[in-house]
Amino acid sequence: MDLSIIGSGYVGLVSGACFADVGHHVVCVDNNPQKIEALQAGHIPIYEPGLEEVIQRNVAAGRLRFTNSTEDGVDHSEVVFIAVPTPPQADGSVDLSYIERVARDIAAVLKPGQYRVVVDKSTVPVKTGDKVAETIKRYGQKGAEFDVVSNPEFLREGCAVSDLMKPDRIVVGSKSDRALALMQKLYQPFMAPILVTDINSAELIKHAANSFLALKISYINAVSAICEASGADVEKVADGIGMDKRIGRNFLNAGLGYGGSCFPKDIAAFIAISEQLGVPFTLLKEVQRINQSQRERFLKAMRDTLWILRDKKIAVWGLTFKGDTDDIRSSVSIDLIAELIKEGAHVTAYDPKGMDNVRNFKLIPEAKLVDSALEAAQGAEALVIATEWHEFAQVDLSHLKEAMASPMVFDGRNLLNPETMNHLGFHYRSIGRPGAGKG
Ligand code: UGA
């Protein structure tokens, strides 16, 4: 099939590459000329495992191309995806101006008699699909034929290609048989269960799913605080409750809390939507509060041990919001570093993929960024592990101890083994696990 994707960010670009990889012909559209030029020259603007190979393979096969022109994209496709950002506003509600802009751009180039399915893949508040349909009708030519479909995306950054190729489910919201038939054909190669709903339900599924996952994380983080106060081990507790198939072990890893461009934004948006609809979802406010308190408890534990942070040399491993990505948006690590700096600490940090973004966005300019985990730890009075990069679990711990001025490790992602750390003589603190160590 021929399709286009408007917006070539994480979701649009990875979706475009994967649709091409199963045999469709895909045009990725973006209004950023530098991004399109870079993609046309073979440069991938984001780090996502496996993405570069998929893009190269499909560009070479003639199934994937990039353009600035919405008209080019719409002309050459039966299905037009919208995958543009839906950023948060100050009050937590969603800024839908990019979606509206794209709806108007599509309306401007839709030709009468040329049926198109316009699919919203961006995460949007319930009822946005109706607005998109109204907008296209209002600004389009008479006789333009189209249907609007909601098709939320559930990929995770860091494993986006495999999530897209092997999805748990595909949600398609539409009342139009014609649009649904095309969507079934489009997704048939992925051999995943397709759940057909109305547009509103499909839109709601995305916010409800992300909120539930965030709830799971906050739940185990609240349990981790009780574990710390009582001497229990949160990992054992998570294993024990996760073995119940109704609960499941996934997303029960205690840590510094969730970050990223999705959960914080989507939970705030779902709260705002519920309030607008007159049915406030107050449980989600508690999810947010626990998420925030997790990093505060962590900082308190650091202060309790180090006493005064001013002029302390602190190493931080990890800048991205989680491992296997270069994305630093709403990263807990960046907030934590900003707080340490505010309290007068000297921070040296390392991240396998996130440092260019930190430099480009001029975040935490007072922090010194270095080229390896051990270099960051050199002479440090304390080390913070802020992101769950696999590489950090591989560091030679005796070299780490030699490098540090005092062997104190605050593990915000429970990446290292407490017994090993204590045995090696580190003062080691993690989240919700017993034993502060001697050091
Ligand atoms: C999330 C969802 O998992 C995707 O299904 C969804 O498509 C995406 O948002 C989106 O809305 O676009 P993502 O933000 O890429 O994906 O990352 P996750 O793997 O879900 O992690 C989110 C945060 O939760 C990270 O900061 C991670 O460190 C944290 N986390 C995750 C925990 O603290 N504990 C866990 O057990 C799992």
Side-chain angles (χ1 to χ4, degrees), residues 128-141:
T128 301
D130 295 346
K131 295 273 179 219
V132 169
E134 275 167 30
T135 304
I136 299 178
K137 206 174 258 167
R138 187 176 311 140
Y139 292 95
Q141 293 185 43

Side-chain angles (χ1 to χ4, degrees), residues 11 48 123 152-159 163 169 206 209-210 213-214 216-218 220-221 249-266 291 320-323 325 327 330-332 386-388 412-413:
V11 169
E48 189 58 49
T123 301
E153 181 48 60
F154 301 102
L155 66 80
R156 289 162 299 170
E157 290 181 20
C159 41
D163 278 356
R169 80 311 204 178
K206 173 67 195 229
N210 273 3
L213 291 168
K216 246 186 137 177
I217 298 170
S218 278
I220 201 65
N221 281 337
R249 180 64 176 82
N250 289 334
F251 274 72
L252 284 181
N253 294 321
L256 281 169
Y258 60 78
S261 65
C262 303
F263 284 178
K265 176 192 88 161
D266 290 353
N291 200 50
T320 51
F321 82 97
K322 64 172 186 178
T325 178
D327 197 343
S330 297
S331 163
V332 181
T387 309
E388 61 274 47
R413 297 292 172 185

